[in-house]
Amino acid sequence: MSSARADIAAAARVVVKVGSSSLTTSAGEIADEAITALAAALAARHGAGIQVVLVSSGAIASGLVPLGLTRRPSDLATQQAAASVGQGLLIARYTAAFAQHGIRTGQVLLSADDLMRRTHYRNAQRTLDRLLELGVLPVVNENDTVATDEIRFGDNDRLAALVAHVTHARALVLLSDVDGLYDGDPRRGTAQRIPEVRGQADLAGIRLGRGLKAGQGGLKAGQGSLKAGQGSQTSQGSQTSQTSLTSQTSQTSQTSQGIGGMATKVEAAIIASTAGIPTVVADAANAAAALAGDPVGTYFAAHGRRPATRLLWLKHAAVARGSLRLDPGAVEAVVKRHASLLPAGLTGVEGAFDAGDPVDLCDENDTIVARGLVNYDAAEIPGLMGRSTRWLASKLGPEYEREIVHRDDLVIL
C-alpha cells in the first residue's frame, strides 16, 4: 500500500462508481464477467468490515438489446424506456453476483432533485445509512426512467461525488475503462499518467478537451452545470498553449453506451476531494488495487472542509433556471464580501423561474460569478431592480424588504 493513499485503504465507508462502458459489451449486452469481477472486489472489502456503496451506471445501456436497439437513443422518451427495461436486468445481475458472496443488495434510485430538497435529501441519507447498518450493499443509480434535464448528469460521476458527501463516506473510487488521467495523448507515446493531484495547481495548463480547463465548469450565462463533453471555451491564445488531458483509452475506442468522459470524472473528483473525501480514478480491472490503496490510476488528495450538502448541490449539480445581471458594486459585494444580493445591484434578468429556483449571477460581461436560490419570481424582478429594500418595503409592503438572494443560499463560482 502506498503511504500516500493510506486514507483510501483505511476508509471505513467508501463509495464506488462504475461506468456503463465497464459493464456492457460493445453490443450493449450486460457483461456478466465484468459484474462478477467487480462484485468479488467489493465483497472482499465488505468482508473486511468496510461499508460499501456502489453507484452504477448501465441501466440505459442494459435495455438496448432487449428493445432491439443497436445504439444509445438520442431522444429522451426512448432513453427512459431503455432505462425502465435495463434497470431491472442490471439489479438482478448485481443481486445474483453479490449473493455468491453472501451479500444482500438494495436498490436506491436518486435524481438531482433528491439532493436539492432537504426532506428528500434527509430521506435518502436515512435510507442509505440504515441499509449500511443492516449489512446491505446499496446499489445506487440515477433515476433515468423519470429524469429530464438531469438525464445526462455526467454518467453518474457527479452523482457519486454527491452520494459520497451525503453518506459521509471516507473515500470515493471512480471506475471506468480508463486507467487514470494523462498529461497528453498517450497514443503519441510521450504522455505520462498523472499519479496524484493535490490541488488545482497540479492541473494547471491541462485541458479536458474542447478548451475546457481542468477544474472549470461552465462560465457563460445559460450553460448551467457542466455536462459530459461540455464546458467553457477559452481564448484561441490559451488553447494553443495548453495540453490535452486524456485517458489511456482513446476516444475512438470507447463504446457508445456511456456518456461520461474524463471531464466529468475530474469534476467529480474535485467535488469530493475539496469536500475532504480522497478520490481515485482508475480502470475497473484495477478495482481491488484501487480500494487497497495501491498506486493505480490517479489519486486526488483530500483537502478543504465538508460544506453543507445544499451548497454542494447548488455549486456542482444544480441547473440554473435563469440568470441575473449585477452591476460592478453588487459583484464585489457578493464575491469579495460574501454579502447577500440586494435589488439595488440588479441591472437585468433572463429566464422564466419561480421563487426558490437556482439562478446564475452574472457580471456585466455575462460571466457567471455565483449561483443562488432566488427569493422572487422572474416576473417580479424588473420592478425591483435598482431599488433599495427600504424603498420597496415602503411602497409595496414589508414582505419586499428582503434580499434577492440571501448569502446563506449562495455559492461563489
Side-chain angles (χ1 to χ4, degrees):
M1 180 185 69
S2 170
S3 59
R5 302 189 185 189
D7 50 3
I8 299 291
R13 179 177 290 184
V14 59
V15 171
V16 178
K17 181 267 176 180
V18 62
S20 301
S21 57
S22 299
L23 298 175
T24 54
T25 67
S26 58
E29 297 175 309
I30 296 177
D32 284 323
E33 65 278 6
I35 289 182
T36 298
L38 177 63
L42 301 190
R45 302 304 293 170
H46 187 276
I50 306 302
Q51 293 181 328
V52 180
V53 178
L54 174 61
V55 177
S56 176
S57 300
I60 294 176
S62 300
L64 300 185
V65 171
L67 293 178
L69 302 174
T70 58
R71 60 182 179 180
R72 184 186 179 93
S74 58
D75 67 291
L76 181 61
T78 308
Q79 288 179 15
Q80 292 172 326
S84 178
V85 173
Q87 186 62 45
L89 297 173
L90 187 62
I91 196 64
R93 302 295 177 88
Y94 275 128
T95 299
F98 282 106
Q100 295 296 316
H101 303 276
I103 299 173
R104 187 179 298 278
T105 59
Q107 178 177 254
V108 179
L109 298 178
L110 296 174
S111 69
D113 190 59
D114 293 321
L115 302 181
M116 164 188 170
R117 304 181 187 277
R118 181 168 177 78
T119 54
H120 291 196
Y121 153 71
R122 291 294 297 158
N123 287 336
Q125 185 179 55
R126 281 193 293 266
T127 299
L128 288 166
D129 284 345
R130 188 57 179 148
L131 285 170
L132 292 169
E133 290 170 0
L134 292 171
V136 176
L137 193 151
V139 179
V140 180
N141 196 358
E142 185 171 6
N143 195 356
D144 290 334
T145 302
V146 297
T148 53
D149 289 340
E150 66 271 19
I151 193 77
R152 299 183 185 278
F153 194 60
D155 200 31
N156 282 340
D157 293 311
R158 195 169 292 105
L159 178 62
L162 296 175
V163 167
H165 183 79
V166 167
T167 60
H168 294 274
R170 311 305 293 181
L172 171 65
V173 177
L174 302 173
L175 302 174
S176 185
D177 58 351
V178 302
D179 71 339
L181 311 183
Y182 279 74
D183 60 4
D185 188 344
R187 292 172 297 179
R188 298 177 181 175
T190 58
Q192 299 293 318
R193 178 171 58 87
I194 301 173
E196 67 177 45
V197 175
R198 295 199 165 270
Q200 292 282 5
D202 293 337
L203 295 174
I206 296 175
R207 293 206 323 270
L208 301 176
R210 297 189 179 182
L212 177 60
K213 293 181 182 178
Q216 277 191 329
L219 295 179
K220 290 295 182 181
Q223 283 183 326
S225 300
L226 175 71
K227 301 297 179 73
Q230 294 180 340
S232 62
Q233 296 296 321
T234 60
S235 64
Q236 283 296 112
S238 63
Q239 286 182 5
T240 57
S241 63
Q242 296 169 338
T243 58
S244 297
L245 181 63
T246 65
S247 65
Q248 189 177 39
T249 305
S250 68
Q251 292 180 346
T252 55
S253 67
Q254 294 185 13
T255 70
S256 60
Q257 313 306 337
I259 60 172
M262 194 53 61
T264 65
K265 290 172 178 57
V266 170
E267 291 299 318
I270 291 174
I271 291 170
S273 61
T274 54
I277 304 171
T279 303
V280 173
V281 176
D283 192 330
N286 292 323
L291 288 165
D294 293 342
V296 298
T298 300
Y299 168 77
F300 288 76
H303 57 283
R305 300 176 61 183
R306 185 182 294 266
T309 300
R310 178 181 55 174
L311 297 183
L312 194 74
W313 165 84
L314 188 59
K315 184 172 184 178
H316 297 290
V319 177
R321 304 301 181 185
S323 63
L324 303 174
R325 187 174 294 108
L326 285 57
D327 64 27
V331 171
E332 181 178 1
V334 167
V335 175
K336 295 185 178 180
R337 301 202 302 270
H338 300 281
S340 299
L341 174 62
L342 300 177
L346 287 181
T347 61
V349 57
E350 292 183 6
F353 51 82
D354 299 322
D357 283 344
V359 296
D360 288 331
L361 310 186
C362 309
D363 64 16
E364 293 182 317
N365 298 317
D366 285 338
T367 298
I368 299 173
V369 297
R371 184 173 295 132
L373 301 178
V374 66
N375 287 324
Y376 294 92
D377 296 344
E380 294 182 277
I381 290 180
L384 310 179
M385 294 191 303
R387 304 289 189 178
S388 71
T389 53
R390 180 174 299 180
W391 186 92
L392 290 169
S394 67
K395 298 296 183 181
L396 303 177
E399 66 272 19
Y400 284 88
E401 193 172 6
R402 67 184 191 273
E403 307 85 353
I404 297 294
V405 178
H406 193 277
R407 63 183 181 181
D408 291 342
D409 295 324
L410 186 151
V411 291
I412 308 301
L413 299 181

